[in-house]
Amino acid sequence: MEGSDTYLIRPNPQNKFKPAIVKECIREIVRERLSGKRYEPEEVPELSRSLAESIKDRVKNAGFDKYKLVVQVVIGEQRGEGVKMSSKCFWDADTDNHAEDLFINVCTFCSVHSDYSGGEGAKFKSI
């Protein structure tokens, strides 16, 4: 079928999602931006958005540009209290995956959870 258009619904196997690479991207960005930083509630919304955007950009530049990316960043004040978070989604086990990292310093915690869909599209829902 030479000359015909084709549509790929799955990522190329050489570009398959690699959670270890993405976790390292997350770790580098979060530590660079939050190390030594105090918790300032007024700054959290913009800081969360900018961290999520930085992570998305770095992951796309790492060769995962064909994936749909969902990056969730939660920043809170470290006061010795517990935090429970959850999310759920439907996905294709062959092409979809996730990476996550947790950062904690004396006064701040940051949890980053990233989901990556490489097929026709996973359905994500935070609960």
Side-chain angles (χ1 to χ4, degrees):
M1 294 181 46
E2 195 173 319
S4 68
D5 293 330
T6 59
Y7 179 75
L8 301 174
I9 60 171
R10 293 193 171 293
N12 188 327
Q14 289 83 7
N15 297 339
K16 194 165 183 174
F17 179 81
K18 297 171 183 74
I21 292 172
V22 175
K23 182 173 182 157
E24 189 56 37
C25 290
I26 293 169
R27 179 166 287 180
E28 286 175 13
I29 291 169
V30 169
R31 286 183 179 38
E32 174 185 304
R33 300 272 300 277
L34 295 181
S35 289
K37 194 163 182 92
R38 297 193 55 81
Y39 180 78
E40 298 291 337
E42 309 82 36
E43 296 177 11
V44 168
E46 179 55 35
L47 184 57
S48 296
R49 276 190 291 277
S50 84
L51 280 170
E53 288 301 316
S54 295
I55 290 166
K56 278 194 239 181
D57 292 343
R58 175 92 52 97
V59 170
K60 286 182 180 183
N61 290 336
F64 302 113
D65 56 328
K66 296 291 185 190
Y67 280 77
K68 294 178 186 174
L69 311 174
V70 177
V71 179
Q72 180 181 23
V73 176
V74 177
I75 299 174
E77 186 173 13
Q78 174 71 350
R79 296 189 301 184
E81 300 169 342
V83 174
K84 291 186 180 185
M85 294 178 285
S86 177
S87 65
K88 63 181 179 178
C89 67
F90 299 103
W91 69 17
D92 182 339
D94 290 335
T95 60
D96 303 341
N97 212 323
H98 79 282
E100 59 190 339
D101 195 36
L102 178 66
F103 170 85
I104 299 174
N105 70 11
V106 174
C107 51
T108 306
F109 74 86
C110 177
S111 172
V112 179
H113 183 89
S114 304
D115 293 303
Y116 303 91
S117 171
E120 291 188 13
K123 306 295 184 215
F124 299 102
K125 178 182 179 185
S126 291
I127 55 173

Short mmCIF file of all heavy atoms in Angstrom, two decimals, residues 50-98:
data_model
loop_
_atom_site.label_atom_id
_atom_site.label_comp_id
_atom_site.label_asym_id
_atom_site.label_seq_id
_atom_site.Cartn_x
_atom_site.Cartn_y
_atom_site.Cartn_z
N SER A 50 3.03 25.68 37.63
CA SER A 50 4.30 25.79 36.91
C SER A 50 5.12 24.51 37.02
O SER A 50 5.79 24.12 36.06
CB SER A 50 5.09 27.01 37.38
OG SER A 50 5.83 26.76 38.51
N LEU A 51 5.05 23.82 38.16
CA LEU A 51 5.73 22.52 38.28
C LEU A 51 5.13 21.52 37.30
O LEU A 51 5.86 20.80 36.61
CB LEU A 51 5.62 21.97 39.70
CG LEU A 51 6.58 22.54 40.73
CD1 LEU A 51 6.19 22.07 42.13
CD2 LEU A 51 8.00 22.12 40.42
N ALA A 52 3.81 21.45 37.22
CA ALA A 52 3.15 20.52 36.30
C ALA A 52 3.55 20.82 34.85
O ALA A 52 3.85 19.90 34.08
CB ALA A 52 1.64 20.58 36.47
N GLU A 53 3.56 22.08 34.47
CA GLU A 53 3.94 22.45 33.10
C GLU A 53 5.41 22.11 32.81
O GLU A 53 5.74 21.62 31.74
CB GLU A 53 3.68 23.94 32.85
CG GLU A 53 2.22 24.29 32.72
CD GLU A 53 1.52 23.54 31.60
OE1 GLU A 53 2.09 23.42 30.49
OE2 GLU A 53 0.40 23.07 31.83
N SER A 54 6.29 22.38 33.78
CA SER A 54 7.71 22.05 33.60
C SER A 54 7.91 20.55 33.43
O SER A 54 8.71 20.11 32.60
CB SER A 54 8.52 22.54 34.80
OG SER A 54 8.50 23.93 34.89
N ILE A 55 7.19 19.77 34.22
CA ILE A 55 7.31 18.31 34.13
C ILE A 55 6.80 17.83 32.77
O ILE A 55 7.44 17.02 32.10
CB ILE A 55 6.56 17.64 35.29
CG1 ILE A 55 7.31 17.91 36.61
CG2 ILE A 55 6.40 16.14 35.05
CD1 ILE A 55 6.52 17.59 37.86
N LYS A 56 5.65 18.35 32.34
CA LYS A 56 5.11 17.96 31.03
C LYS A 56 6.09 18.29 29.91
O LYS A 56 6.34 17.47 29.03
CB LYS A 56 3.78 18.67 30.75
CG LYS A 56 2.60 18.03 31.39
CD LYS A 56 1.34 18.61 30.78
CE LYS A 56 0.50 19.23 31.84
NZ LYS A 56 -0.75 19.79 31.33
N ASP A 57 6.66 19.50 29.94
CA ASP A 57 7.61 19.90 28.90
C ASP A 57 8.84 19.01 28.89
O ASP A 57 9.30 18.58 27.83
CB ASP A 57 8.03 21.36 29.09
CG ASP A 57 6.89 22.34 28.83
OD1 ASP A 57 5.89 21.94 28.20
OD2 ASP A 57 7.02 23.50 29.27
N ARG A 58 9.40 18.72 30.06
CA ARG A 58 10.60 17.88 30.14
C ARG A 58 10.31 16.47 29.63
O ARG A 58 11.13 15.89 28.92
CB ARG A 58 11.11 17.85 31.58
CG ARG A 58 12.27 16.93 31.84
CD ARG A 58 13.65 17.55 31.72
NE ARG A 58 13.89 18.75 32.46
CZ ARG A 58 14.48 18.81 33.65
NH1 ARG A 58 14.86 17.71 34.25
NH2 ARG A 58 14.70 19.98 34.22
N VAL A 59 9.15 15.92 29.98
CA VAL A 59 8.80 14.56 29.54
C VAL A 59 8.61 14.52 28.03
O VAL A 59 9.08 13.60 27.36
CB VAL A 59 7.56 14.05 30.30
CG1 VAL A 59 7.04 12.76 29.69
CG2 VAL A 59 7.88 13.85 31.77
N LYS A 60 7.95 15.52 27.48
CA LYS A 60 7.78 15.57 26.02
C LYS A 60 9.14 15.64 25.33
O LYS A 60 9.35 15.00 24.31
CB LYS A 60 6.90 16.74 25.62
CG LYS A 60 5.45 16.50 25.94
CD LYS A 60 4.60 17.67 25.49
CE LYS A 60 3.15 17.40 25.81
NZ LYS A 60 2.26 18.45 25.35
N ASN A 61 10.05 16.43 25.88
CA ASN A 61 11.39 16.56 25.29
C ASN A 61 12.23 15.30 25.47
O ASN A 61 13.22 15.12 24.77
CB ASN A 61 12.13 17.76 25.90
CG ASN A 61 11.54 19.07 25.45
OD1 ASN A 61 10.90 19.15 24.40
ND2 ASN A 61 11.73 20.10 26.26
N ALA A 62 11.83 14.42 26.38
CA ALA A 62 12.53 13.15 26.58
C ALA A 62 12.09 12.09 25.56
O ALA A 62 12.55 10.96 25.61
CB ALA A 62 12.32 12.64 28.01
N GLY A 63 11.21 12.44 24.64
CA GLY A 63 10.81 11.51 23.58
C GLY A 63 9.44 10.91 23.78
O GLY A 63 9.05 10.00 23.06
N PHE A 64 8.67 11.40 24.74
CA PHE A 64 7.33 10.87 24.97
C PHE A 64 6.27 11.85 24.48
O PHE A 64 5.20 11.96 25.06
CB PHE A 64 7.14 10.57 26.47
CG PHE A 64 8.13 9.60 27.01
CD1 PHE A 64 9.08 10.00 27.93
CD2 PHE A 64 8.15 8.28 26.60
CE1 PHE A 64 10.01 9.12 28.44
CE2 PHE A 64 9.08 7.38 27.10
CZ PHE A 64 10.01 7.80 28.02
N ASP A 65 6.57 12.56 23.41
CA ASP A 65 5.68 13.60 22.91
C ASP A 65 4.38 13.05 22.33
O ASP A 65 3.41 13.77 22.20
CB ASP A 65 6.39 14.49 21.90
CG ASP A 65 6.97 13.71 20.74
OD1 ASP A 65 7.37 12.56 20.94
OD2 ASP A 65 7.02 14.28 19.64
N LYS A 66 4.32 11.79 21.96
CA LYS A 66 3.10 11.22 21.39
C LYS A 66 2.12 10.75 22.47
O LYS A 66 1.02 10.33 22.17
CB LYS A 66 3.44 10.02 20.49
CG LYS A 66 4.25 10.39 19.28
CD LYS A 66 3.45 11.20 18.32
CE LYS A 66 4.26 11.46 17.07
NZ LYS A 66 3.66 12.41 16.20
N TYR A 67 2.55 10.82 23.71
CA TYR A 67 1.70 10.39 24.81
C TYR A 67 0.82 11.52 25.30
O TYR A 67 1.19 12.69 25.24
CB TYR A 67 2.56 9.90 25.99
CG TYR A 67 3.08 8.50 25.83
CD1 TYR A 67 4.15 8.24 25.01
CD2 TYR A 67 2.50 7.44 26.51
CE1 TYR A 67 4.64 6.96 24.86
CE2 TYR A 67 2.98 6.15 26.38
CZ TYR A 67 4.05 5.92 25.54
OH TYR A 67 4.53 4.65 25.40
N LYS A 68 -0.37 11.16 25.79
CA LYS A 68 -1.22 12.12 26.49
C LYS A 68 -0.72 12.15 27.93
O LYS A 68 -0.57 11.11 28.56
CB LYS A 68 -2.67 11.67 26.46
CG LYS A 68 -3.26 11.68 25.07
CD LYS A 68 -4.67 11.17 25.10
CE LYS A 68 -5.20 11.04 23.69
NZ LYS A 68 -6.52 10.43 23.68
N LEU A 69 -0.45 13.31 28.45
CA LEU A 69 0.14 13.44 29.77
C LEU A 69 -0.85 14.06 30.75
O LEU A 69 -1.47 15.07 30.44
CB LEU A 69 1.38 14.34 29.71
CG LEU A 69 2.40 14.03 28.63
CD1 LEU A 69 3.48 15.10 28.61
CD2 LEU A 69 3.01 12.67 28.85
N VAL A 70 -0.96 13.47 31.92
CA VAL A 70 -1.74 14.04 33.01
C VAL A 70 -0.80 14.13 34.19
O VAL A 70 -0.29 13.12 34.67
CB VAL A 70 -2.95 13.15 33.37
CG1 VAL A 70 -3.70 13.73 34.57
CG2 VAL A 70 -3.88 12.99 32.18
N VAL A 71 -0.51 15.35 34.64
CA VAL A 71 0.42 15.57 35.76
C VAL A 71 -0.36 16.24 36.88
O VAL A 71 -0.93 17.31 36.71
CB VAL A 71 1.61 16.45 35.34
CG1 VAL A 71 2.55 16.67 36.53
CG2 VAL A 71 2.37 15.82 34.18
N GLN A 72 -0.37 15.58 38.04
CA GLN A 72 -1.05 16.13 39.21
C GLN A 72 0.00 16.46 40.26
O GLN A 72 0.78 15.60 40.66
CB GLN A 72 -2.03 15.10 39.75
CG GLN A 72 -2.79 15.58 40.97
CD GLN A 72 -3.74 14.53 41.50
OE1 GLN A 72 -3.57 13.35 41.27
NE2 GLN A 72 -4.74 14.97 42.22
N VAL A 73 0.03 17.72 40.69
CA VAL A 73 0.98 18.18 41.70
C VAL A 73 0.19 18.63 42.92
O VAL A 73 -0.71 19.46 42.80
CB VAL A 73 1.84 19.35 41.17
CG1 VAL A 73 2.76 19.88 42.26
CG2 VAL A 73 2.64 18.92 39.95
N VAL A 74 0.52 18.10 44.08
CA VAL A 74 -0.11 18.50 45.34
C VAL A 74 0.98 19.01 46.26
O VAL A 74 1.94 18.30 46.54
CB VAL A 74 -0.86 17.32 46.00
CG1 VAL A 74 -1.45 17.74 47.34
CG2 VAL A 74 -1.93 16.77 45.08
N ILE A 75 0.84 20.25 46.72
CA ILE A 75 1.81 20.85 47.63
C ILE A 75 1.08 21.20 48.92
O ILE A 75 -0.01 21.77 48.88
CB ILE A 75 2.45 22.12 47.03
CG1 ILE A 75 3.20 21.77 45.74
CG2 ILE A 75 3.38 22.78 48.03
CD1 ILE A 75 3.73 22.97 44.99
N GLY A 76 1.68 20.86 50.04
CA GLY A 76 1.06 21.17 51.32
C GLY A 76 2.09 21.51 52.37
O GLY A 76 3.29 21.33 52.18
N GLU A 77 1.58 21.99 53.50
CA GLU A 77 2.45 22.34 54.61
C GLU A 77 2.77 21.10 55.42
O GLU A 77 1.88 20.32 55.75
CB GLU A 77 1.78 23.39 55.49
CG GLU A 77 2.67 23.91 56.59
CD GLU A 77 2.04 25.06 57.35
OE1 GLU A 77 0.83 25.29 57.20
OE2 GLU A 77 2.78 25.71 58.10
N GLN A 78 4.03 20.92 55.74
CA GLN A 78 4.50 19.78 56.51
C GLN A 78 4.33 20.10 57.99
O GLN A 78 5.08 20.89 58.55
CB GLN A 78 5.97 19.49 56.17
CG GLN A 78 6.61 18.43 56.98
CD GLN A 78 6.08 17.04 56.67
OE1 GLN A 78 5.11 16.85 55.98
NE2 GLN A 78 6.72 16.06 57.22
N ARG A 79 3.30 19.48 58.63
CA ARG A 79 3.07 19.71 60.05
C ARG A 79 2.90 18.40 60.79
O ARG A 79 2.33 18.36 61.86
CB ARG A 79 1.83 20.57 60.25
CG ARG A 79 1.98 21.96 59.67
CD ARG A 79 0.85 22.86 60.06
NE ARG A 79 -0.43 22.32 59.60
CZ ARG A 79 -1.59 22.94 59.73
NH1 ARG A 79 -1.64 24.11 60.34
NH2 ARG A 79 -2.69 22.41 59.28
N GLY A 80 3.36 17.31 60.20
CA GLY A 80 3.27 16.02 60.86
C GLY A 80 1.93 15.34 60.70
O GLY A 80 1.70 14.28 61.29
N GLU A 81 1.03 15.91 59.91
CA GLU A 81 -0.27 15.30 59.68
C GLU A 81 -0.20 14.36 58.48
O GLU A 81 0.65 14.50 57.63
CB GLU A 81 -1.31 16.38 59.42
CG GLU A 81 -1.45 17.35 60.57
CD GLU A 81 -2.28 18.56 60.21
OE1 GLU A 81 -2.47 18.84 59.01
OE2 GLU A 81 -2.72 19.26 61.14
N GLY A 82 -1.10 13.45 58.40
CA GLY A 82 -1.14 12.53 57.27
C GLY A 82 -1.98 13.08 56.13
O GLY A 82 -2.87 13.89 56.33
N VAL A 83 -1.68 12.64 54.93
CA VAL A 83 -2.44 13.01 53.75
C VAL A 83 -2.68 11.74 52.95
O VAL A 83 -1.76 10.95 52.73
CB VAL A 83 -1.66 14.02 52.86
CG1 VAL A 83 -2.41 14.28 51.58
CG2 VAL A 83 -1.42 15.30 53.62
N LYS A 84 -3.91 11.53 52.52
CA LYS A 84 -4.23 10.40 51.65
C LYS A 84 -4.80 10.94 50.36
O LYS A 84 -5.67 11.82 50.36
CB LYS A 84 -5.26 9.47 52.32
CG LYS A 84 -4.70 8.73 53.51
CD LYS A 84 -5.68 7.73 54.03
CE LYS A 84 -5.07 7.02 55.23
NZ LYS A 84 -5.93 5.95 55.71
N MET A 85 -4.28 10.44 49.25
CA MET A 85 -4.75 10.84 47.94
C MET A 85 -5.02 9.59 47.13
O MET A 85 -4.38 8.55 47.34
CB MET A 85 -3.71 11.70 47.24
CG MET A 85 -3.49 13.03 47.90
SD MET A 85 -2.22 14.00 47.11
CE MET A 85 -0.77 13.15 47.66
N SER A 86 -5.92 9.73 46.17
CA SER A 86 -6.25 8.59 45.34
C SER A 86 -6.70 9.08 43.97
O SER A 86 -7.19 10.19 43.83
CB SER A 86 -7.38 7.79 46.01
OG SER A 86 -7.78 6.73 45.20
N SER A 87 -6.50 8.26 42.98
CA SER A 87 -7.05 8.52 41.65
C SER A 87 -7.27 7.16 40.99
O SER A 87 -6.71 6.15 41.42
CB SER A 87 -6.10 9.38 40.81
OG SER A 87 -4.91 8.70 40.56
N LYS A 88 -8.09 7.17 39.98
CA LYS A 88 -8.33 5.92 39.27
C LYS A 88 -8.49 6.22 37.79
O LYS A 88 -8.81 7.34 37.40
CB LYS A 88 -9.55 5.19 39.81
CG LYS A 88 -10.86 5.92 39.63
CD LYS A 88 -12.00 5.13 40.22
CE LYS A 88 -13.31 5.89 40.08
NZ LYS A 88 -14.42 5.12 40.60
N CYS A 89 -8.22 5.21 36.97
CA CYS A 89 -8.38 5.39 35.54
C CYS A 89 -8.48 4.04 34.86
O CYS A 89 -8.14 3.01 35.44
CB CYS A 89 -7.23 6.21 34.96
SG CYS A 89 -5.65 5.37 35.02
N PHE A 90 -8.98 4.05 33.65
CA PHE A 90 -8.98 2.87 32.79
C PHE A 90 -7.88 3.09 31.77
O PHE A 90 -7.76 4.17 31.21
CB PHE A 90 -10.33 2.76 32.04
CG PHE A 90 -11.49 2.62 32.96
CD1 PHE A 90 -12.31 3.70 33.21
CD2 PHE A 90 -11.76 1.41 33.56
CE1 PHE A 90 -13.39 3.58 34.06
CE2 PHE A 90 -12.83 1.28 34.41
CZ PHE A 90 -13.65 2.36 34.67
N TRP A 91 -7.08 2.05 31.54
CA TRP A 91 -6.02 2.24 30.57
C TRP A 91 -5.64 0.92 29.91
O TRP A 91 -6.07 -0.14 30.32
CB TRP A 91 -4.84 2.94 31.15
CG TRP A 91 -4.00 2.21 32.18
CD1 TRP A 91 -3.95 0.87 32.44
CD2 TRP A 91 -3.06 2.80 33.06
NE1 TRP A 91 -3.04 0.60 33.42
CE2 TRP A 91 -2.49 1.77 33.82
CE3 TRP A 91 -2.65 4.10 33.27
CZ2 TRP A 91 -1.52 2.01 34.78
CZ3 TRP A 91 -1.68 4.31 34.23
CH2 TRP A 91 -1.14 3.28 34.97
N ASP A 92 -4.81 1.04 28.90
CA ASP A 92 -4.29 -0.10 28.16
C ASP A 92 -2.95 -0.48 28.79
O ASP A 92 -2.00 0.29 28.75
CB ASP A 92 -4.10 0.30 26.70
CG ASP A 92 -3.61 -0.84 25.82
OD1 ASP A 92 -3.03 -1.81 26.35
OD2 ASP A 92 -3.78 -0.74 24.60
N ALA A 93 -2.87 -1.67 29.35
CA ALA A 93 -1.66 -2.10 30.06
C ALA A 93 -0.44 -2.20 29.14
O ALA A 93 0.69 -2.16 29.62
CB ALA A 93 -1.92 -3.45 30.74
N ASP A 94 -0.65 -2.31 27.84
CA ASP A 94 0.48 -2.39 26.90
C ASP A 94 1.12 -1.04 26.63
O ASP A 94 2.31 -0.97 26.32
CB ASP A 94 0.03 -2.99 25.56
CG ASP A 94 -0.31 -4.46 25.67
OD1 ASP A 94 0.21 -5.13 26.59
OD2 ASP A 94 -1.11 -4.94 24.83
N THR A 95 0.36 0.04 26.70
CA THR A 95 0.89 1.34 26.29
C THR A 95 0.85 2.41 27.37
O THR A 95 1.57 3.40 27.27
CB THR A 95 0.12 1.88 25.06
OG1 THR A 95 -1.26 2.02 25.43
CG2 THR A 95 0.26 0.96 23.87
N ASP A 96 0.02 2.26 28.38
CA ASP A 96 -0.16 3.30 29.39
C ASP A 96 0.60 2.93 30.66
O ASP A 96 0.79 1.75 30.96
CB ASP A 96 -1.64 3.49 29.72
CG ASP A 96 -2.47 3.82 28.49
OD1 ASP A 96 -1.89 4.25 27.49
OD2 ASP A 96 -3.69 3.63 28.53
N ASN A 97 1.01 3.95 31.41
CA ASN A 97 1.79 3.70 32.62
C ASN A 97 1.77 4.96 33.47
O ASN A 97 1.11 5.94 33.12
CB ASN A 97 3.22 3.31 32.26
CG ASN A 97 3.82 2.36 33.26
OD1 ASN A 97 3.58 2.47 34.46
ND2 ASN A 97 4.61 1.42 32.78
N HIS A 98 2.52 4.95 34.56
CA HIS A 98 2.59 6.14 35.41
C HIS A 98 3.95 6.22 36.11
O HIS A 98 4.68 5.24 36.18
CB HIS A 98 1.46 6.16 36.45
CG HIS A 98 1.72 5.27 37.62
ND1 HIS A 98 1.55 3.91 37.58
CD2 HIS A 98 2.16 5.55 38.87
CE1 HIS A 98 1.87 3.39 38.75
NE2 HIS A 98 2.25 4.38 39.56
#
